[in-house]
Amino acid sequence: MDNKISQEKMAQLEWYITKHCLWQYNSRGWDRLIQNERILTKTKQILRGENAKDDDTTADRYYWSEAMSLQGAFKRYFPWVAEMSKEDIAQILDLLKERMDHTMVHASLNQELVKEKY
Amino acid sequence: MSCNLKAKDRVGVINPIFTCQPAGAQYVSIGVKDCIGLVHGGQGCVMFVRLTMSQHFKESFELASSSLHEDAAVFGALHRVEQGVDVLLMRYPELKIIPIITTCSTEVIGDDIDGVVIKLQEGLLKTKYPDREIHLIPIHTPSFVGSQISGYDVAVKAFVEHFAKKEAESNGKINLITGWVNPADVTELKALIAEMNVDATVLFEIETFDAPIMPAGNHVGHGETTIADLQGTANAVGTIALNKYEGGKAAKYLQDEFDVPAIIGPTPIGIRNTDTFLANVKKMTGKAIPESLVRKRGIALDAIADVSHMFLTGKKVAIYGNPDLVIGLAEYCIDLEMEPVLLLLGDDNVGYKNDPRIKAMTENVKFDMEVVTNADFWELEDRIKNKGLKLDLILGHSKGRYVAIDNNIPMVRVGYPVYDRAGGFRHPVVGYDGAIWLAEEMANHIFTDMEYKHNKEWVLNVW
Amino acid sequence: MPYHQFKVSECIPERLHHAVDKGADEDLTDALPLGYLNTIPGTISERGCAYCGAKHVIGTPMKDVIHLSHGPVGCTYDTWQTKRYISDDGNFQLKYTFASDVKESNVVFGAEKMLKKNIIEAFKAFPQIHNMNVYSTCATALIGDDINAVAEDVMAEMPDKKIFVCNSPGFAGPSQSGGHHKINLQFLDQWVGTGEPEIYSKHVINYIGEYNIQGDQEIMRDYFLRMGIQILATFTGNGRFDDLRCIHKAQLNVLECARSAEYICDELRVRYGIPRMDIDGFGFEATADSLRKIGYFFGIEDKAEQIIAEEYARWKPELDWYAARLQGVKMCLWPGGSKLWHWSHMLKTEMGINVVSVYTKFGHQGDMEKGVSRCEPGTLAIDDPNELESVEAMYELKPDLIMTGKRPGEVAKKIRIPYLNVHGYHNGPYKGFEGWVRLARDIYNCVYSPAHSLVHLDISKDEIPTDKGFATRESLSDVNLSDEIKNSTELREYTGDYDPIPRLRKKLEENQYTFPDPVTGEWRQVPLETIKRGKIVDVE
């Protein structure tokens, strides 16, 4: 997929997350990276029709629930999501994860992200 | 059959009637023009006092905090007072007076606010604000001493002590120190003395606490007592402090320091105490009591005649709140043939037992009556629920509302704060108008109660 | 995203970085207000203290607990009857408050002995209550009273009593948020894990960060129970002390107000492996998404979808009646710490309201991240606002209404801006589907108040309209409305009760819910007593 188009589509998905989701705001940076990784990876897997359940833990089930909810919303909001190829989905979701890591962690201005304790 | 005074015998408080000293000082502070109190302590000590004020008046009032945080609690927080004063002065160009009001925390850590006031006067005020009239007034109100009542008393004295300045000439006015009252009380008091052509310096001018919405906008409510008013208190022909415990100290100070004769009390609640108040004004000023007040008084007596010996007589009432208010209400209730069987005073002031008004009650009432000091609401509720106290009416502020609600006892809201009824501050309890409002309000509450309980409600089919 | 310079704060430059104007095409990495820093003295900030954050906000909603503050009487007086967190068993927590009433001699000689007497007195006055929270205050923290030792002492003497000691004096942090933090972790450390609950459903959650303001918790509880989910405990609205001791046994923490209660969720995740799921119970879409997520977690999506369908059918036409009339309304959304992000986007999409400013009194940068993200470009975001800044903002932004606290609401009133109480609510509850309609209804009644429409008329200068004896709300709200909407037979005004909570309580009392058996998965009724007061076995 053309880079510009994938950026545009990624931005739409990002818009949805910023308006509706809360999982990206955990209070510590390391925590946010894990949330982004687990939830967006599973979202990608589900959208690509792959198995998104790693194990039987409640933690895994939690990430999967967020991912299920997110992929459902993506399809509801953006009909193009259902029509994309697996490769394009991967490309866009990887961009999205990169973008979320950037804004929410690496370039974040939130001074509390680096605190050690909750 | 007798009246006893005793202190609550439990150590703790279950549902407090009073709050602590800084609240009283803050209430004084908002009555003065161009004045914003800076409370030296945690932020809650201001935030909640402002909230209670706005619940009572449905208005907002300005009070600032030095915002004590952890480091300051450990290392001392005087620098936060310095910064607070500067920030207030920079941002409020009209501001002239900053009382610095202490709390438990800053008294425990021992911050020397008197010292910091001197430091600011010598330093910041001279260098940064050389051409501006600024008054910093240290007011010590540790929360673990006294109560909101003594806090009010201490603060009135602190303001008067700071400003009162003797001139050669008398200003021909009386000082009228109202105590902790509502705007409508001030209106009634001013109306009474205006009829006698007496000019007064009212501490404090708070009628503006009932502030309007104006088409061009308005800001927040604020009192109107000026620096000139406070300065002039030393040159009055006399001081009448209506409430012994809320302003009595200032009256005594003016007498001791400037030979301004003081009359302290009685709280002019009811006909008899209002009569005494007018007699005191007459004595102090030589002005006659005019026919118009005879008429005003007559209207009140007329109203009382309608309700007293048919409906109010024999009704057992419990009264709680500010001591002068409670005592005044009790006296008036007795005049109305009611039986104030329980008075609750919410602090441990040892002076109550020697108060002549309480003594007079202990010596003269013919029904069982208790006066409890250092009291809380459990003293009331426990007597009702567990000790067989039967009441027809409760008089007090909104914090006691559940005692009335859960025990099906009608309650007339008086005092501070009243937030569960609309417009409480708009009705006077003092003066002849206050006497009318109280008698009729009590009667109307009893009527409603008769109707809810189907207790001879048919009496009112014809009246 | 440029920082916003208030004219009134030019003289205190450190305030500059506490407010931003959200620009188009800018994100959180361009600017973010500072947050949760020490307050500048004398600014007339709206913040409270760490004691009230612990005791008043989080501690007191616990319903079967004696709440005793160890200090002078004022702290207790102030934090009594100034909130609307109700409970379903008689409102003990609203009606009673306890102060040790520290006096000067106690400050000098110590107040531990009198505290002990106090605790015993309070338990004796209310023998049916077996739990107590003791809160330290500035004074007793500074004199160094060992409250924990006193509590241990009493518990040894009165073995059927449990005491939680909350050490969060007023000065412990920049705002009430310091107290949220402290009480979260202290309750966890002292009491969580000491009880073994009776598990009656296959699906078990804790509902965290929910305080049952006007019945919010009971609205949401109805949805959870309809899904067959056991709520082990709510932290803390309508919550029982004993239930809260068992929250380590849940499968999932459903977190509503992250600002006040994320700490306990995060620690439960670390210590007990319980996942934290943040939800939004405000707004139709947000509530539906939240129920869906929980449904996915337990494999009961169908149950969630059924509730969502039922609730939409019942309430959506009522929401839309108001939404049609609220399009373009300008609001300042000025709450404490969480509603700026819970509400702003849903107000926009579901009611058409433009939130022109958000602020947070005691929030952290994390709350601003959420709040700013969920607002539209052009929104002014303010951290720790002070009196003059708020006034300047109101005059500049000229909102149609402001959602804020009681006292700032009185300031707004004088600027002729009507207000709704965002903390205790006007006519809540506001959570869930019905609650959201109630909020829309309250906003509508506020904005289109016929009496309010008179405040701008200056009878001394303006032409006085003399042709009307009254105006209706509709005459003000329907001016630009199409006939299609005006005459719609689908849309309707709110048809619920003045108080929706008694209906929900009746439902519970009538035991109308079923749950899947923890072992067999078979759906069946559970004894009411088990749902309301499940047996707790003490464990060491």
Side-chain angles (χ1 to χ4, degrees):
Chain A
M1 189 187 279
D2 175 86
N3 195 36
K4 191 165 165 251
I5 295 173
S6 59
Q7 284 289 349
E8 274 173 20
K9 295 205 182 298
M10 182 277 287
Q12 291 183 35
L13 302 186
E14 186 200 8
W15 172 88
Y16 177 85
I17 291 173
T18 60
K19 293 297 182 197
H20 296 90
C21 299
L22 292 168
W23 48 257
Q24 72 274 29
Y25 295 112
N26 278 13
S27 56
R28 301 295 172 255
W30 58 266
D31 211 349
R32 288 184 177 186
L33 291 174
I34 296 172
Q35 295 279 107
N36 292 348
E37 163 70 27
R38 298 293 301 265
I39 292 166
L40 293 176
T41 302
K42 283 183 190 297
T43 305
K44 179 171 76 180
Q45 288 167 335
I46 296 164
L47 286 172
R48 284 162 55 98
E50 297 163 6
N51 174 35
K53 285 188 174 170
D54 295 342
D55 53 43
D56 210 20
T57 60
T58 51
D60 192 64
R61 211 158 75 203
Y62 161 70
Y63 294 122
W64 178 81
S65 310
E66 291 282 12
M68 280 299 288
S69 173
L70 188 61
Q71 62 85 28
F74 281 170
K75 287 182 194 155
R76 225 167 44 235
Y77 269 77
F78 313 109
W80 51 260
V81 170
E83 282 150 31
M84 278 203 306
S85 70
K86 288 187 179 187
E87 292 70 34
D88 288 348
I89 289 170
Q91 190 186 345
I92 291 169
L93 268 285
D94 290 345
L95 274 176
L96 179 61
K97 153 112 182 18
E98 208 177 294
R99 172 77 185 152
M100 294 298 297
D101 285 352
H102 173 77
T103 50
M104 299 312 299
V105 187
H106 303 308
S108 170
L109 300 171
N110 185 342
Q111 298 172 1
E112 291 189 353
L113 294 187
V114 295
K115 287 194 176 177
E116 275 181 35
K117 286 184 178 167
Y118 287 130
Chain B
M1 298 292 207
S2 64
C3 170
N4 292 312
L5 178 138
K6 68 175 191 89
K8 170 190 67 168
D9 47 23
R10 283 170 295 115
V11 56
V13 165
I14 304 175
N15 293 353
I17 294 174
F18 282 176
T19 185
C20 56
Q21 285 211 111
Q26 290 176 68
Y27 195 90
V28 171
S29 163
I30 60 171
V32 181
K33 193 169 187 291
D34 302 328
C35 167
I36 297 177
L38 177 67
V39 181
H40 188 30
Q43 292 168 154
C45 307
V46 179
M47 189 269 256
F48 282 105
V49 171
R50 295 179 77 200
L51 176 61
T52 308
M53 288 169 177
S54 67
Q55 290 201 59
H56 178 82
F57 291 110
K58 315 298 181 208
E59 303 282 346
S60 175
F61 296 90
E62 285 162 335
L63 286 156
S65 174
S66 68
S67 297
L68 193 76
H69 300 313
E70 204 128 38
D71 52 337
V74 179
F75 301 112
L78 288 171
H79 60 290
R80 297 190 70 82
V81 174
E82 293 178 51
Q83 195 185 353
V85 166
D86 191 25
V87 167
L88 280 168
L89 290 173
M90 283 192 288
R91 300 177 83 219
Y92 292 84
E94 306 296 317
L95 183 62
K96 295 192 179 79
I97 311 167
I98 305 177
I100 297 159
I101 299 164
T102 65
T103 60
C104 46
S105 54
T106 51
E107 290 285 345
V108 171
I109 62 178
D111 268 358
D112 177 13
I113 60 159
D114 304 84
V116 86
V117 163
I118 293 167
K119 183 180 169 199
L120 283 163
Q121 281 164 343
E122 298 301 315
L124 182 80
L125 301 195
K126 275 194 180 149
T127 54
K128 194 165 173 183
Y129 306 99
D131 302 319
R132 191 161 156 189
E133 180 184 11
I134 297 163
H135 302 271
L136 306 178
I137 309 173
I139 302 181
H140 291 272
T141 46
S143 320
F144 43 77
V145 174
S147 70
Q148 60 184 35
I149 306 301
S150 53
Y152 186 98
D153 205 27
V154 163
V156 180
K157 177 172 177 256
F159 272 93
V160 167
E161 197 173 339
H162 179 90
F163 287 106
K165 204 166 74 187
K166 194 72 182 173
E167 306 282 344
E169 295 275 307
S170 160
N171 64 12
K173 295 180 176 183
I174 62 166
N175 299 319
L176 183 62
I177 304 181
T178 65
W180 193 318
V181 295
N182 276 318
D185 294 314
V186 174
T187 305
E188 168 67 0
L189 292 165
K190 285 167 78 168
L192 289 172
I193 57 171
E195 289 297 324
M196 293 176 70
N197 279 320
V198 169
D199 198 1
T201 300
V202 180
L203 301 184
F204 293 87
E205 293 278 7
I206 60 161
E207 286 172 283
T208 43
F209 284 7
D210 188 0
I213 293 178
M214 295 299 282
N218 195 355
H219 189 16
V220 294
H222 214 284
E224 291 191 310
T225 293
T226 62
I227 289 174
D229 290 340
L230 286 159
Q231 287 169 337
T233 53
N235 309 304
V237 296
T239 302
I240 299 181
L242 299 175
N243 287 357
K244 179 180 165 88
Y245 303 104
E246 299 155 6
K249 266 196 178 72
K252 193 157 180 312
Y253 168 81
L254 287 168
Q255 179 165 286
D256 294 347
E257 195 67 25
F258 301 110
D259 296 322
V260 180
I263 298 175
I264 296 173
T267 308
I269 294 175
I271 304 295
R272 206 178 293 274
N273 283 327
T274 304
D275 291 351
T276 305
F277 167 61
L278 296 182
N280 288 338
V281 175
K282 182 178 170 184
K283 189 169 104 190
M284 194 169 271
T285 61
K287 297 279 177 69
I289 298 172
E291 174 70 15
S292 60
L293 289 182
V294 178
R295 283 188 62 84
K296 194 173 161 93
R297 180 175 184 270
I299 290 171
L301 285 169
D302 188 89
I304 290 167
D306 296 339
V307 294
S308 65
H309 52 271
M310 179 163 181
F311 297 109
L312 299 178
T313 183
K315 294 288 188 264
K316 293 187 182 348
V317 53
I319 312 171
Y320 60 83
N322 290 21
D324 290 294
L325 174 72
V326 169
I327 294 167
L329 288 170
E331 291 178 323
Y332 183 37
C333 283
I334 295 171
D335 261 349
L336 295 173
E337 305 175 42
M338 302 169 78
E339 296 181 4
V341 292
L342 180 63
L343 308 186
L344 300 163
L345 308 175
D347 63 21
D348 60 351
N349 187 335
V350 292
Y352 294 145
K353 67 173 182 296
N354 297 319
D355 189 304
R357 297 168 294 178
I358 289 176
K359 273 194 159 160
M361 284 189 267
T362 57
E363 283 159 16
N364 293 297
V365 303
K366 298 296 177 214
F367 49 88
D368 282 329
M369 179 175 180
E370 281 183 288
V371 182
V372 184
T373 63
N374 203 26
D376 57 12
F377 282 113
W378 187 243
E379 289 294 310
L380 175 59
E381 188 172 340
D382 186 41
R383 277 173 174 77
I384 297 166
K385 281 195 169 137
N386 305 319
K387 293 175 178 153
L389 177 67
K390 295 267 182 276
L391 291 174
D392 300 298
L393 191 67
I394 295 173
L395 301 180
H397 57 74
S398 298
K399 289 271 183 185
R401 65 193 301 260
Y402 271 110
V403 181
I405 294 169
D406 284 355
N407 296 291
N408 293 313
I409 300 165
M411 170 172 152
V412 173
R413 271 70 174 169
V414 285
Y416 177 95
V418 172
Y419 45 78
D420 65 340
R421 289 294 182 275
F425 55 86
R426 216 163 271 131
H427 304 286
V429 297
V430 299
Y432 299 125
D433 280 359
I436 295 175
W437 183 78
L438 281 169
E440 293 182 339
E441 192 74 358
M442 289 195 289
N444 286 334
H445 275 68
I446 288 168
F447 298 160
T448 307
D449 188 59
M450 287 161 67
E451 289 160 7
Y452 281 159
K453 292 176 183 162
H454 291 285
N455 179 14
K456 290 187 73 171
E457 81 290 347
W458 39 259
V459 164
L460 291 160
N461 288 356
V462 286
W463 177 43
Chain C
M1 218 180 311
Y3 289 109
H4 182 93
Q5 177 68 65
F6 284 104
K7 286 188 197 72
V8 292
S9 293
E10 278 168 355
C11 57
I12 32 176
E14 44 290 41
R15 280 293 303 161
L16 179 64
H17 288 183
H18 288 264
V20 300
D21 291 305
K22 177 171 175 166
D25 303 322
E26 288 177 319
D27 64 38
L28 293 173
T29 62
D30 295 305
L32 181 71
L34 294 173
Y36 196 56
L37 297 177
N38 284 356
T39 318
I40 302 169
T43 48
I44 313 199
S45 150
E46 294 182 12
R47 285 169 158 184
C49 61
Y51 157 81
C52 87
K55 187 256 184 181
H56 192 36
V57 177
I58 297 190
T60 316
M62 294 184 198
K63 63 186 174 185
D64 58 350
V65 174
I66 288 171
H67 297 279
L68 192 155
S69 302
H70 185 34
V73 79
C75 313
T76 304
Y77 178 97
D78 283 343
T79 53
W80 179 43
Q81 291 187 2
T82 41
K83 271 192 173 275
R84 294 183 178 135
Y85 28 54
I86 56 172
S87 68
D88 58 8
D89 65 351
N91 287 330
F92 180 82
Q93 80 289 354
L94 285 183
K95 291 180 184 175
Y96 297 99
T97 193
F98 301 73
S100 67
D101 196 18
V102 163
K103 311 239 179 187
E104 191 161 28
S105 62
N106 307 122
V107 171
V108 178
F109 301 111
E112 290 170 9
K113 273 194 190 131
M114 66 89 81
L115 174 62
K116 184 176 172 185
K117 271 179 88 172
N118 246 288
I119 294 173
I120 292 168
E121 264 178 17
F123 275 132
K124 283 192 172 155
F126 294 89
Q128 76 278 20
I129 308 279
H130 297 288
N131 314 298
M132 180 181 288
N133 292 356
V134 180
Y135 306 90
S136 71
T137 61
C138 291
T140 51
L142 288 168
I143 63 175
D145 272 1
D146 187 348
I147 301 176
N148 294 74
V150 175
E152 291 295 332
D153 197 13
V154 176
M155 284 190 285
E157 284 175 29
M158 303 175 93
D160 63 330
K161 306 295 184 194
K162 296 185 176 66
I163 301 171
F164 162 54
V165 177
C166 176
N167 227 315
S168 179
F171 55 76
S175 70
Q176 43 270 66
S177 185
H180 305 154
H181 186 203
K182 289 196 159 55
I183 192 171
N184 266 247
L185 299 185
Q186 291 174 13
F187 190 83
L188 181 73
D189 287 339
Q190 287 176 42
W191 284 105
V192 172
T194 66
E196 190 65 33
E198 188 177 357
I199 301 293
Y200 60 80
S201 171
K202 204 174 155 189
H203 313 309
V204 185
I205 65 165
N206 298 315
Y207 191 22
I208 307 280
E210 161 54 54
Y211 306 104
N212 205 27
I213 304 295
Q214 293 209 20
D216 274 353
Q217 187 261 1
E218 293 175 74
I219 288 245
M220 297 299 283
R221 177 173 72 177
D222 174 56
Y223 305 147
F224 298 147
L225 296 180
R226 278 154 76 185
M227 289 169 77
I229 293 170
Q230 174 178 1
I231 307 161
L232 215 47
T234 301
F235 185 88
T236 55
N238 201 19
R240 284 204 314 157
F241 188 96
D242 266 349
D243 291 340
L244 286 161
R245 296 198 288 131
C246 304
I247 55 175
H248 61 298
K249 287 291 185 180
Q251 294 154 341
L252 180 69
N253 279 320
V254 173
L255 174 60
E256 189 82 60
C257 174
R259 176 65 286 125
S260 60
E262 67 174 0
Y263 317 99
I264 198 164
C265 282
D266 286 336
E267 285 296 331
L268 284 165
R269 197 160 47 119
V270 172
R271 297 187 202 182
Y272 298 96
I274 307 170
R276 155 185 168 174
M277 181 184 276
D278 292 45
I279 67 157
D280 274 307
F282 296 106
F284 276 52
E285 186 183 8
T287 307
D289 282 344
S290 299
L291 296 179
R292 258 184 215 118
K293 276 200 303 194
I294 298 167
Y296 283 127
F297 184 84
F298 290 115
I300 45 174
E301 308 93 283
D302 55 329
K303 291 267 172 196
E305 292 298 347
Q306 192 187 334
I307 292 169
I308 293 163
E310 286 168 13
E311 296 290 319
Y312 265 73
R314 172 67 184 87
W315 299 112
K316 191 69 172 31
E318 302 189 3
L319 176 66
D320 289 347
W321 190 94
Y322 295 104
R325 289 158 175 84
L326 292 173
Q327 296 297 313
V329 161
K330 279 165 71 176
M331 175 195 284
C332 285
L333 179 56
W334 287 353
S338 70
K339 292 196 183 83
L340 70 153
W341 44 267
H342 272 311
W343 289 10
S344 42
H345 185 59
M346 285 295 106
L347 287 171
K348 174 76 188 165
T349 59
E350 298 194 337
M351 299 182 202
I353 289 172
N354 294 327
V355 173
V356 293
S357 175
V358 291
Y359 80 34
T360 174
K361 274 200 243 192
F362 54 77
H364 297 224
Q365 285 187 297
D367 299 286
M368 269 302 182
E369 286 180 312
K370 301 179 202 179
V372 169
S373 295
R374 289 180 165 197
C375 286
E376 298 304 303
T379 307
L380 167 62
I382 317 165
D383 167 69
D384 179 23
N386 58 62
E387 181 99 352
L388 289 177
E389 290 174 354
S390 308
V391 169
E392 184 176 318
M394 281 189 274
Y395 275 115
E396 199 169 291
L397 299 167
K398 299 185 174 60
D400 297 305
L401 83 158
I402 163 172
M403 303 242 10
T404 188
K406 164 75 193 162
R407 194 202 46 73
E410 297 298 336
V411 179
K413 189 171 84 180
K414 290 296 188 290
I415 300 175
R416 297 146 302 151
I417 299 166
Y419 105 101
L420 283 183
N421 190 325
V422 77
H423 304 300
Y425 306 158
H426 268 49
N427 288 298
Y430 290 158
K431 264 202 177 135
F433 301 95
E434 182 175 4
W436 199 240
V437 177
R438 293 172 71 90
L439 176 62
R441 184 262 326 257
D442 283 3
I443 293 172
Y444 175 79
N445 290 348
C446 177
V447 171
Y448 296 111
S449 155
H452 177 74
S453 70
L454 300 171
V455 300
H456 296 276
L457 179 75
D458 186 340
I459 52 168
S460 71
K461 295 192 188 112
D462 303 337
E463 179 95 11
I464 301 174
T466 55
D467 59 331
K468 281 199 207 84
F470 67 90
T472 63
R473 281 177 305 215
E474 288 79 358
S475 72
L476 302 169
S477 68
D478 291 6
V479 180
N480 298 317
L481 224 51
S482 71
D483 285 343
E484 192 192 344
I485 291 173
K486 265 192 267 189
N487 304 326
S488 165
T489 52
E490 301 277 299
L491 306 182
R492 59 176 187 264
E493 289 181 74
Y494 178 64
T495 56
D497 297 325
Y498 173 67
D499 184 358
I501 300 304
R503 174 168 45 84
L504 297 175
R505 287 186 189 161
K506 187 159 168 267
K507 221 169 136 183
L508 183 64
E509 289 304 319
E510 289 172 355
N511 204 354
Q512 292 187 14
Y513 303 101
T514 57
F515 304 88
D517 185 275
V519 182
T520 66
E522 184 197 345
W523 288 76
R524 86 284 186 234
Q525 272 196 330
V526 169
L528 182 61
E529 202 50 23
T530 308
I531 300 173
K532 285 168 72 181
R533 279 175 288 274
K535 265 195 225 83
I536 311 285
V537 178
D538 288 341
V539 291
E540 279 310 306

